[in-house]
């Protein structure tokens, strides 16, 4: 009698209680340690500062106060992490979330996208993003006064325009590719994102004002800090964009970490179509460091180190350039995965044996 083969699917990521428990316990231990041993941690930070360069290099009173506030901020952040993660790992909260999200997050029998591969190609791409982030940070802050590089119509500005428009085109094409699949919610998400990217690109060129040369309407010029036909340069718009950059990078990092850790445990096609790749982490970290608001200022240790070595943020183009790279990486990945699913949903592909579908087809 012929043996019957049974396809084994990995468990859902929402059932990974050990991951939530680990994050919660780490946050609890870190928070309690920082709050209970503030003076010890502060002494260690002071020693590192004094040892970083030769000669006397003590912290000023203002810097010392900022470091102490940062230690407290990170301590309370650890406790908040524990409060959120530990109930998910233990108790009825995990069961409720599992029942609620299983249709979206679980890996069902009809999932087609292959698991992510984190080999040489992924590593090289990660290093390339890291190099881009370092070069962008050093170049755009060092040559802040070079007009062809960082002015309103400079190279960095047009890089952002290109990223927005190319991203909108790629995401729109990805939405079109999903029209014959079962992923209508993702398709609508892509369409919304494509429209948002297009609007962002038009905002970058002031809706063509600097190209055509029309004058700014009087009503806009009174509330626009750059006297342009834009919305993001309103007095309140800058603050909104500041927060969007910071929290967007935080969500992107969390999504990339989720995808990386849950890759082998099981992710639905829908989540693979939405979650970003972890290779974007260096650029997202750079955005987060540059756009951390006042509430996180004293806990922004990378920023404090940059400022100490006179390499802190200057200007506004670095996070926008990093965001442009992230947009392109995300859009291209979405398009590749959507086209893969479109090929599998076509009538010709329906007659192809499943074992002939390899990971290379998703490239």
């Amino acid at each position: 009698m012929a043996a019957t083969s049974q396809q084994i699917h990995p468990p859902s990521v929402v059932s990974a209680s050990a991951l939530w428990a680990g994050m919660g316990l780490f946050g609890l231990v870190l928070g309690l340690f920082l709050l209970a041993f503030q003076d010890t941690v502060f002494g260690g930070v002071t020693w590192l500062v004094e040892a970083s360069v030769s000669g006397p290099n003590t912290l000023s009173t203002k810097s010392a106060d900022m470091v102490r506030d940062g230690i407290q901020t990170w301590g309370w952040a650890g406790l908040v992490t524990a409060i959120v993660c530990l109930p998910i790992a233990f108790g009825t909260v995990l069961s409720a979330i599992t029942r609620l999200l299983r249709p979206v997050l679980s890996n069902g029998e009809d999932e087609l996208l292959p698991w992510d591969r984190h080999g040489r190609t992924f590593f090289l791409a990660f290093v390339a993003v890291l190099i881009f982030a370092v070069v962008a940070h050093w170049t755009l802050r060092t040559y802040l006064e070079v007009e062809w590089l960082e002015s309103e119509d400079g190279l960095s500005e047009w890089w952002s325009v290109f990223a927005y428009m190319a991203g909108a085109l790629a995401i729109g094409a990805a939405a079109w590719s999903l029209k014959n699949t079962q992923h209508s919610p993702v398709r609508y998400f892509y369409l919304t994102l494509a429209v948002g990217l297009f609007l962002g690109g038009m905002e970058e060129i002031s809706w063509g004002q600097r190209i055509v040369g029309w004058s700014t309407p009087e009503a806009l010029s009174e509330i626009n800090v750059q006297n342009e036909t834009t919305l993001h340069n309103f007095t309140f718009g800058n603050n909104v964009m500041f927060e969007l950059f910071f929290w967007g990078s935080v969500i992107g990092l969390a999504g990339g970490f989720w995808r990386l850790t849950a890759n082998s445990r099981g992710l639905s096609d829908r989540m693979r179509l939405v979650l970003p790749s972890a290779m974007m982490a260096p650029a997202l970290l750079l955005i987060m460091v540059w756009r951390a608001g006042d509430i996180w200022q004293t806990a922004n240790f990378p920023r404090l180190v940059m400022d100490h070595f006179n390499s802190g943020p200057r200007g506004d183009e670095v996070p926008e350039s990093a965001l442009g790279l992230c947009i392109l990486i995300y859009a291209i990945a979405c398009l590749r995965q959507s086209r893969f699913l479109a090929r599998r949903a076509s009538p010709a592909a329906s007659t192809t044996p499943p074992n002939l579908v390899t990971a290379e087809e998703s490239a």
Side-chain angles (χ1 to χ4, degrees):
M1 182 175 62
T4 59
S5 60
Q6 183 178 4
Q7 188 175 5
I8 300 176
H9 296 281
S12 171
V13 65
V14 295
S15 302
S17 58
L19 177 63
W20 294 105
M23 292 190 296
L25 291 175
F26 175 78
L28 179 63
V29 173
L30 177 65
L32 292 177
F33 177 80
L34 292 178
L35 293 177
F37 301 98
Q38 295 184 42
D39 293 337
T40 302
V41 176
F42 177 77
V45 173
T46 304
W47 178 83
L48 288 174
V49 171
E50 293 176 348
S52 60
V53 294
S54 59
N57 188 36
T58 57
L59 285 173
S60 64
T61 303
K62 180 179 179 181
S63 298
D65 292 339
M66 293 177 65
V67 171
R68 290 187 181 276
D69 291 342
I71 294 172
Q72 291 184 354
T73 302
W74 279 105
W76 287 111
L79 295 184
V80 171
T81 302
I83 292 173
V84 173
C85 293
L86 290 179
I88 296 178
F90 308 104
T92 58
V93 176
L94 176 62
S95 300
I97 294 178
T98 301
R99 290 193 301 269
L100 179 65
L101 299 181
R102 186 174 295 277
V104 178
L105 305 183
S106 61
N107 194 8
E109 296 182 356
D110 58 345
E111 309 299 341
L112 299 175
L113 288 174
W115 295 357
D116 298 335
R117 293 171 296 172
H118 300 121
R120 179 182 300 177
T121 302
F122 176 86
F123 175 75
L124 292 177
F126 182 89
V127 172
V129 174
L130 176 62
I131 293 175
F132 179 95
V134 173
V135 172
H137 173 82
W138 179 80
T139 303
L140 294 177
R141 72 167 303 279
T142 303
Y143 299 99
L144 183 63
E145 307 300 330
V146 178
E147 292 188 1
W148 67 265
L149 179 63
E150 204 165 343
S151 66
E152 282 296 324
D153 292 309
L155 180 62
S156 60
E157 185 84 8
W158 283 106
W159 159 255
S160 297
V161 174
F162 168 77
Y164 278 116
M165 294 304 184
L169 182 62
I171 292 293
W176 176 263
S177 299
L178 294 177
K179 61 185 177 68
N180 293 325
T181 67
Q182 300 178 352
H183 300 290
S184 295
V186 178
R187 186 186 177 204
Y188 296 140
F189 168 73
Y190 281 176
L191 290 173
T192 303
L193 181 58
V195 172
L197 291 176
F198 174 78
L199 296 178
M202 294 302 293
E203 279 281 302
E204 287 294 320
I205 59 174
S206 303
W207 296 88
Q209 179 182 19
R210 295 200 305 272
I211 299 175
V212 179
W214 72 70
S215 59
T216 304
E218 184 177 354
L220 288 178
S221 62
E222 293 178 355
I223 57 177
N224 191 293
V225 295
Q226 292 188 357
N227 193 26
E228 294 178 343
T229 309
T230 58
L231 298 177
H232 71 281
N233 287 325
F234 287 176
T235 304
F236 63 88
N238 284 329
N239 295 331
V240 172
M241 295 302 299
F242 215 86
E243 296 296 331
L244 286 177
F245 269 65
F246 175 76
W247 290 110
S249 62
V250 171
I251 294 174
L253 285 169
F257 176 77
W258 183 355
R259 179 167 185 157
L260 180 67
T261 56
N263 180 48
S264 60
R265 296 187 183 93
L267 277 176
S268 65
D269 285 351
R270 188 166 296 177
M271 295 308 297
R272 292 190 188 277
L273 288 169
V274 173
L275 291 177
S277 171
M279 73 172 61
M280 297 159 49
L284 291 173
L285 281 171
L286 183 65
I287 297 173
M288 188 173 66
V289 170
W290 272 67
R291 288 295 178 252
D294 293 338
I295 190 174
W296 297 101
Q297 182 178 2
T298 55
N300 192 352
F301 289 147
R303 173 69 180 269
L304 295 176
V305 173
M306 290 179 183
D307 291 339
H308 175 72
F309 291 101
N310 196 27
S311 299
R314 295 176 59 207
D316 298 316
E317 296 300 321
V318 172
E320 294 189 8
S321 298
L323 176 62
L325 180 64
C326 293
I327 289 173
L328 292 177
I329 293 175
Y330 183 76
I332 292 173
C334 292
L335 179 58
R336 291 171 61 187
Q337 294 180 123
S338 299
R339 293 182 63 184
F340 174 82
L341 291 177
R343 291 195 300 268
R344 296 300 303 159
S346 64
S350 62
T351 60
T352 303
N355 58 358
L356 294 182
V357 180
T358 62
E360 284 75 10
E361 288 184 64
S362 65

